[in-house]
Amino acid sequence: MEQPFRLKAGGRIDRTRPLRFVFDGKGYSGYAGDTLASALIANGVHLVGRSFKYHRPRGILSAGAEEPNALVQLGLEPRLVPNARATQVDLIHGLEADPVNCWPNVRRDVLAGLGLAAPLMPAGFYYKTFLASRHLWRHVFEPLIRRAAGWGRVPEDPDPDVYTHRHLHRDVVVVGAGPAGLAAALAAARTGARVALIDEGTEPGGSLLGQTRTLDGHPADQWVAEGREELSHLPEVLVLTRTTAAGLYDDGTTVVAEERLTDHLTSHGGHGPRARLWWLTSKTVILATGAHERPIVFPENDRPGIMLASAARTYALRYGALPGKRMVLFTTNSAAYESAIDLQSRGLRVEAIVDARPDPSGPHVDMAEALGIHIHKGCAVTATDGRHHLESVEIMLLSPDLRTVQAPRKLIECDLLCVSGGWSPVAHLYRHAGGQVEWNAEVRGFTPVPGPGLPRVVGSAAGTHALSQALERALTAGAEAAREAGFGDGSASSAPRVTETDALDGMDLWRVSDQPGDGGRAIGRPGHLSFVDLQNDATAADIDQAHREGLTNVEHMKRYTLTGFGTDQGKTSQVNGAVILARAVGEGPEAARLTAQRPPYTPITFGTLAGRRVGGLLDTVRETALQDIHRDLGKNGGAVFEPVGQWLRPRFYPKAGETMDRAVARECRAARQEAGLLDASTLGKIDAQGPDVVEFLERIYATPVASLPIGKVRYGLVCKDDGMLVDDGTLARLEETHFHLTTTTGNAAWTLNWMEEWLQTEWPDLRVRLTSVTEQWAVLALSGPKAREILAPLAPGMDLSVEAFPFMTWRAGAVAGIPARVFRVSFTGELSFEINVPWRYGPALWKALLAKGAPLGLTPHGTETMHVLRAEKGFILVGQETDGSVTPRDLGLGGMLKTKRDFIGKRGMARSDLQRPDRKVLVGLRTDDPAQVLPEGSPIVEAMSSARPLPMLGHVTSSYLSPMVGRVIALALVKGGRERLGQTLQVPLEDGDLAKVTVVEPVFWDPEGKRRDG
Amino acid sequence: MAKAKEMTPEGNTVEHGGFDPLAADWRDRLSQSGTATIQVDAAPCQAQLTLRGDPADPAFAKAVEAQTGLLPPPVANTLTADEHCRLLWLGPDEWMLLAPPHQGALLLSGLTVAFAALSPATNAMVIDTSETRRALDVWGPDAVQLLERGCALDLHPRAFPIGRCAQGLLAGLPVLIAHLPRRNGANHPCLRIFARTSMVRHLAWWLVDALAEFRRPGK
Amino acid sequence: MERIPCPHCGPRPLAEFSYGGEVVPRPDPEPADDATWGAYLYVRSNPKGPQSERWVHIHGCRRWFTLTRDTATHRILDTPLRKEEA
Ligand SMILES: [Zn+2]
């Protein structure tokens, strides 16, 4: 029999489009418009999972986002989706779903059968076990629990789907497209404001969908359809469905929402992005997020077949699926009677209404009695029975103080128990924005406390449960929000006339006691449990225990009992748990505090958060003008790139079959013996000019500036106010008040911004203009004994002789016909020209230099060779020899510092601690083993001993195999290093070996500096 | 020693063709990625001069106008334009002058001379930054939607009409976006996106990737 | 995503900005003793509540400015006036 619980007619499903699906290995059918949950209910399937801790059978509790039980595993690798809420999974043809937390299947769960789980894990189990024995925890309990707990499987393979983002600015964003949200959006949109209306459901309408009541004399569905129609004609209105507002940020003005684009179409991909993350920035936000019906805490309240009253009604009215045949309603309020009346009208037999109120009255009570439904007044459900599905409930009389129950005991057979303990406004987003909620005795729920700068809340989210009132207030809120954004005059049309239901004339029943008040025997079976949090199997007794152990703060109780954790974040348990704790302390609900609520409202897949920032689009890749050339060189021999900041720089250019070591050795030799060519375009470059530029640079640089003549270049050091070196580079004086500065590749942006900070905040009187010209100039560093010979024919107008173009000067002129600035600076110790040409001519210059130079041995080299060459000379690399705690003096650069004039860092360096003789200073290391490269960062010790911690003298900062020196060289920072020259120290290596090293001067090549002029 | 002389790309005859990160293959990829409602192409290369000065000094504005025909835009994040040049707001004392490539050198020298005559308090300056940015054009009815995929600026025509410009982040990298009334003489408005020259290919790649979404049914 | 009010460009996403920390007056270096200089370098008031702090619109107009932010709520209390509005 197909879909035995499906009604012949009614509901918003398409009976002409049947869909096949598989649940727990068994085939079923449903219809387009179903959720997985409604299709399962139509097939009479209620047992959909096992609970987390006790592996108890669990059924579908709700019809929405609050679902704690019906978590399913969807799809196949690599499109596995763990922990999807069956209540929000759109049914598609071929859907494959499995329950979670059970093995081998949901009916025969091994762990439940063994009865293993329950006694193992009382409240606070994790903490107590962990504290008792770390060893036991790590090796016994944790692996056991992890295997048993499950909660779905995540895919092992990379996510094959595409996810996208979109930022949008709106005047008004309305979250929730139920009656209140729709009304607010209409009122705002009619003013011409830019409006977005978003809803997690498949269509707008919310609680009105499939409703029996009328608006302005028409069925509710018609009012919804007309509203949708009107919005669709307004050009500045965006209506998003299947879109869940995950969080509200930035003082409540940015809604971040996930739109599910294809999960309702396919489980195989291929339909474009699977989901879109929306960043909706709005002048005003209106929250119409509705309310969740609250379960009642009573013994054995967790069996399949126990369902929220409104959910049962939704399944019958919206989906045409009956959640049972014979039902009992357990309620604390009259509103839930509507569910019983509607369900009875759809053919379900209402065996009884168990109303906790001693004297319920009102139109719905009268109507129920007129229908012949028996109402047990002042009663409560005290136990339930049924192995895999509810078979009967037991009811007893509540004592007047509600603390105990008393005989007579009555058993009612039924397969559906609808419960309603009142309504909890959904204020998650309001609380994300910093809003508070407080107990509202009239509404019997925690409602938002209005405050300045907080979003507007309308409808049942604000505790306004009467439909007419909700519509009226929502229309006003929409119009006012638009007016605040500059649209309309704030007036709204009048609300439609509504057939009104009973007000929320309920009572509070927080917990049905499991203690009989008449001294009789205990109710139910021994060990029966009253669940507060169904997903985490947290019971009222667990909260009692938490209280007994002194955990009276709700956040502590949450962590101790797990109430409110999990994928549902306690949507159905938070209020009950908080009030039960408050009552344990002896207070009422008004004293209860809710735990903090944080985004996301429902789980979001990581793919959505990442969007397209995956793979090569993860981060910006910066390229010099020569990138294509480097890649082409790669084709000839395999250029290997390395990331330097966001830049991708050639590390070395191996010829076919060459290892990195051999390629670097070849490049090093060429640069020392003939000539090397490096793309140094990534160097940071700053143009500094203005009447006060000399004064400014004198304050910024630790090295002298004013004495630098036009046409000359100087090495410069930049320190922070603490005296530590942060950057180095060169200053070239172009004109009297015009300088060209260079920074390290990695610090370019930081250094410019740091200079701007001083200029703009501390010295706004200085007339200086700073401009980044990093990408204005491509830089090729031509270095080596043959550099002059190679350059000369390309720069006929430039006298390259030592006399005319000495070291640390710069000249302007044409190189290869390209206007150029040539700097005679050297980072290798060899004769070197850094040729700057407009960025676009970088490739042309490169080709011209190689055309002339290749026959003379000119060899392109990458960053690795650059590092070796500079280390051979003992030139420091900021970020390698420095780490923010190293001064210029520590690096042996003290002689370059200005002695008289003040500069940033001068006072910092003068601090007593920085004068200590035993500071770590730069030295060279000579390894005993000439081939032993020391890992950078390796500690240096005097000798190994048993002392712990081992006294450390310093660390290795750089170490390379130097082909020219013929052995490994290293630089290091060593305590009192200058006094240790000649000493033998030890470097512990990862494999337990010790490397013996001798402290030497940190210059390994051409210590006299004879080579720099060629 | 002779005073170092500033030279510009336009100042000398250069025989080599200049490198363009958005040369042939990238322009092809961009144009082939276009959809019925969104077109993308490299913008024409133009001279880009950075101007600094005190907007409160009328002599400064006058000098700018005399040399360029344009007044610095008085409102933040807007631009002024005539048929030759555009002047875009970059900061309260900073603008970018866009000019046809062959006029760059002339404008640079003209402005340099004119600014030298101003009071030092104005601290006026002009510098050639033609190489530092490369621009892309995006146009068509869904152009804004494409950029909204990776840009948090409000680019809706109500907030970002023709004549507006703004600096911000697009695809995670810093950009300057200008809403221009027409593109290369073609009579449709476009969004011109300036990115740092070293980053513009990454941006082009991102745009090509983003456009794929708009070619699929249901976008 | 917080929005920071740039005095020149108006409210913009946090990602366009760089944080400069609490505004700490820089003592005159010469007479300052080690304790004074150390306090300037390292000691911050770290209030729970309003704090005067520096920001720069690093990916926008590159201007530094000062604003007052409540560190407990992240609410910006005292925004520098925009030129257009001033
Ligand atoms: Zn700004």
Side-chain angles (χ1 to χ4, degrees), chain B residues 77 89, chain C residues 6-10 12 17 57 60-63 65:
Chain B
N77 292 299
W89 187 94
Chain C
C6 171
H8 308 290
C9 307
R12 293 290 193 93
F17 296 84
H57 195 186
C61 62
R62 297 202 299 129
R63 293 314 112 156
F65 56 93

Side-chain angles (χ1 to χ4, degrees), chain A residues 929 932-935 938-941 943-944 950 985-997:
Chain A
D929 174 354
Q932 175 66 61
V933 177
L934 303 170
S938 294
I940 300 166
V941 299
M944 285 307 278
L950 201 57
L985 303 176
Q986 293 188 315
V987 177
L989 302 172
E990 249 185 308
D991 55 12
D993 281 359
L994 283 173
K996 267 194 183 165
V997 296

Side-chain angles (χ1 to χ4, degrees), chain A residues 607-948:
Chain A
T608 306
L609 297 176
R612 292 302 294 146
R613 293 194 98 162
V614 292
L617 288 167
L618 180 65
D619 192 16
T620 308
V621 175
R622 297 181 74 179
E623 300 183 341
T624 74
L626 289 109
Q627 211 78 2
D628 293 340
I629 287 180
H630 299 320
R631 287 205 186 94
D632 285 346
L633 277 173
K635 275 177 206 155
N636 297 332
V640 175
F641 290 87
E642 72 166 341
V644 182
Q646 289 180 314
W647 296 96
L648 211 49
R649 299 190 70 182
R651 192 171 183 199
F652 55 97
Y653 302 88
K655 291 189 180 300
E658 223 176 21
T659 62
M660 171 167 157
D661 282 351
R662 297 184 75 147
V664 171
R666 174 178 51 75
E667 292 173 8
C668 285
R669 271 194 209 96
R672 293 273 184 232
Q673 291 168 347
E674 285 97 20
L677 187 60
L678 174 77
D679 178 7
S681 303
T682 60
L683 274 181
K685 298 163 215 102
I686 298 168
D687 182 280
Q689 53 181 295
D692 300 319
V693 69
V694 173
E695 173 64 21
F696 173 72
L697 295 177
E698 283 283 19
R699 295 184 193 180
I700 287 288
Y701 281 87
T703 43
V705 177
S707 55
L708 182 70
I710 294 169
K712 287 208 141 189
V713 186
R714 193 171 275 165
Y715 179 58
L717 299 173
V718 179
C719 297
K720 289 221 276 192
D721 241 340
D722 59 1
M724 305 303 174
L725 186 70
V726 284
D727 203 40
D728 66 351
T730 59
L731 301 86
R733 195 163 195 169
L734 305 179
E735 291 169 61
E736 190 59 36
T737 57
H738 191 181
F739 287 78
H740 177 89
L741 317 173
T742 65
T743 72
T744 58
T745 294
N747 281 351
W750 182 90
T751 303
L752 175 60
N753 187 43
W754 181 77
M755 288 182 181
E756 285 283 5
E757 181 179 6
W758 286 103
L759 190 55
Q760 293 179 33
T761 64
E762 292 288 328
W763 312 320
D765 54 312
L766 292 186
R767 296 158 301 172
V768 177
R769 303 296 192 189
L770 303 172
T771 313
S772 167
V773 289
T774 296
E775 281 114 323
Q776 182 69 17
W777 300 100
V779 181
L780 298 185
L782 173 67
S783 182
K786 293 187 182 164
R788 190 176 283 122
E789 194 183 341
I790 294 165
L791 185 57
L794 292 170
M798 216 179 270
D799 185 346
L800 300 182
S801 65
V802 184
E803 299 72 33
F805 196 170
F807 186 56
M808 295 310 263
T809 61
W810 75 275
R811 298 289 179 263
V815 176
I818 306 162
R821 288 176 184 166
V822 183
F823 298 81
R824 255 211 70 195
V825 294
S826 178
F827 199 40
T828 64
E830 303 296 323
L831 170 67
S832 181
F833 300 92
E834 285 194 357
I835 309 161
N836 288 234
V837 293
W839 191 263
R840 73 183 72 173
Y841 299 122
L845 177 65
W846 177 276
K847 285 175 190 159
L849 287 168
L850 275 175
K852 279 278 180 283
L856 297 170
L858 178 63
T859 303
H861 69 80
T863 49
E864 191 65 24
T865 292
M866 175 188 88
H867 289 179
V868 177
L869 298 176
R870 65 92 203 170
E872 287 171 347
K873 283 293 292 177
F875 294 154
I876 60 134
L877 204 60
V878 168
Q880 186 118 7
E881 271 68 40
T882 70
D883 59 8
S885 70
V886 181
T887 68
R889 266 198 292 272
D890 298 337
L891 296 165
L893 302 173
M896 299 174 59
L897 300 174
K898 286 177 281 201
T899 50
K900 295 203 181 73
R901 210 193 178 292
D902 189 28
F903 57 87
I904 304 291
K906 186 167 195 277
R907 178 64 189 84
M909 283 176 214
R911 286 176 295 159
S912 52
D913 193 61
L914 274 66
Q915 310 295 318
R916 280 192 354 250
D918 65 338
R919 280 187 62 81
K920 289 194 223 172
V921 298
L922 186 74
V923 292
L925 298 180
R926 211 179 67 134
T927 53
D928 263 21
D929 174 354
Q932 175 66 61
V933 177
L934 303 170
E936 281 158 12
S938 294
I940 300 166
V941 299
E942 194 127 25
M944 285 307 278
S945 75
S946 54
R948 291 293 181 272

